[in-house]
Amino acid sequence: MKKKSQRIVLPLLVFMLVIGGWELYVRAFDISLYILPAPSKIIAAVVDNANILMRHSLVTLEEALIGLGISAVFAILISIGMDLSKTFRSSLYPYLIVTQTVPVMVLGPLFSIWFGFDLLPKILIVVFMCFFRLPSR
């Protein structure tokens, strides 16, 4: 029981110390709001803008779920195809490896330029991120 409480209490204590230190630092040195807002100001802004944040969070969730679904379907279909056909595997596998050399941060602006600012570029980024990532063990 003691180990379980340590796993919860110690990180919580560190979190509270960091947040408290942050708040004290901002107040003691009178740091401008646009440089480093105090945690209390951030919480107040979240409460004041809860409706807007919830609406935008739902859009982000929609984009993430659509991208995850598309990447899962592609991953399953391609993995089945690669398992069933050596020709399919040998023709596609090098391109799958090469796509891993492109940083995702580069693709975001390119997708926005090519496809606009709607859902498509955002979903493509999610697909690209989810398709190639293995779960950590």
Side-chain angles (χ1 to χ4, degrees), residues 90-127:
S90 62
S91 62
L92 190 62
Y93 191 70
Y95 295 107
L96 294 175
I97 296 300
V98 167
T99 60
Q100 291 304 285
T101 63
V102 178
V104 178
M105 296 303 289
V106 171
L107 295 178
L110 290 176
F111 286 169
S112 294
I113 291 168
W114 295 338
F115 304 116
F117 295 99
D118 293 332
L119 284 176
L120 182 61
K122 298 167 191 167
I123 290 173
L124 288 175
I125 289 292
V126 173
V127 169

Side-chain angles (χ1 to χ4, degrees), residues 62-76 123 126-127 130:
E62 176 187 13
E63 295 164 351
L65 291 177
I66 291 170
L68 179 63
I70 292 170
S71 66
V73 169
F74 279 153
I76 290 168
I123 290 173
V126 173
V127 169
C130 292

Side-chain angles (χ1 to χ4, degrees), residues 28-81:
F29 294 101
D30 197 29
I31 306 295
S32 298
L33 184 64
Y34 65 91
I35 302 281
L36 180 65
S40 58
K41 296 284 187 183
I42 294 171
I43 292 169
V46 168
V47 170
D48 291 343
N49 299 302
N51 292 333
I52 295 168
L53 292 171
M54 182 56 71
R55 189 172 62 238
H56 289 285
S57 296
L58 291 175
V59 172
T60 302
L61 179 64
E62 176 187 13
E63 295 164 351
L65 291 177
I66 291 170
L68 179 63
I70 292 170
S71 66
V73 169
F74 279 153
I76 290 168
L77 292 176
I78 289 173
S79 63
I80 290 171

